[in-house]
Amino acid sequence: MALYSDKVMDHFRNPRNVGKMEDADGIGEVGNAKCGDIMRMYIKVEDDIITDVKFITFGCGSAIASSSMATEMIKGMPISEALELSNKAVTEALDGLPAHKLHCSVLAEEAVRAAVKDYYDKNGIAYDPALFADCDCAHEHDHESED
């Protein structure tokens, strides 16, 4: 059996929604110091729907594939549904990841949540802090100075 599924390889070789979004409504950045993967997710929101999403990921093929799949999954979703995106759903949509690469799907989930949290914060939208309690998105980033 191959280490990576055809879907993982496809999303790694042909990632969807790659790039920086200049006019993003929310930006989430998460990283895993252990493996060195860093994901930055950008969302555009209209009427509580994620109308556009982009990402930049520095990391391994599984991290890139997880980012790409997550963007495909949340595009067009209401924010409330995007917040429910789980790493398990990303992994299943990719037809699986090796056990030692499952953290990549966790980062994708956290990047989505971090972007939504940033959107809420920027727009003064009240939310239950418990929604983000187990997310690595609790710390703030200075997005203006980063490229």
Side-chain angles (χ1 to χ4, degrees), residues 6 12 19 39 43 50-51 53 61 93 95 105-106 109 111 115 117-119 122 125 132 134 138-139 144:
D6 289 342
F12 167 63
M39 291 182 189
I43 59 172
I50 296 174
T51 57
V53 57
D95 292 336
S105 63
V106 172
E109 172 189 336
K117 181 181 183 303
D118 185 54
Y119 167 72
K122 284 179 178 174
I125 298 170
F132 305 100
D134 62 343
H139 55 279
E144 305 309 317

Side-chain angles (χ1 to χ4, degrees), residues 21-120:
M21 186 185 294
E22 296 297 335
D23 60 346
D25 294 319
I27 303 171
E29 182 175 302
V30 296
N32 183 323
K34 182 180 173 187
C35 66
D37 294 327
I38 299 170
M39 291 182 189
R40 184 179 289 171
M41 190 90 47
Y42 304 85
I43 59 172
K44 190 80 178 152
V45 180
E46 292 175 29
D47 298 324
D48 208 39
I49 303 290
I50 296 174
T51 57
D52 198 11
V53 57
K54 299 239 181 268
F55 77 93
I56 297 175
T57 292
F58 298 96
C60 66
S62 294
I64 292 166
S66 293
S67 301
S68 175
M69 181 57 80
T71 64
E72 287 283 280
M73 294 173 78
I74 67 166
K75 197 172 193 176
M77 259 188 192
I79 287 179
S80 59
E81 287 181 31
L83 277 173
E84 294 175 10
L85 180 74
S86 68
N87 69 299
K88 184 178 181 201
V90 172
T91 300
E92 287 174 358
L94 288 169
D95 292 336
L97 286 170
H100 67 284
K101 293 295 184 177
L102 288 175
H103 66 274
C104 295
S105 63
V106 172
L107 281 178
E109 172 189 336
E110 289 183 347
V112 170
R113 291 169 69 194
V116 170
K117 181 181 183 303
D118 185 54
Y119 167 72
Y120 284 167

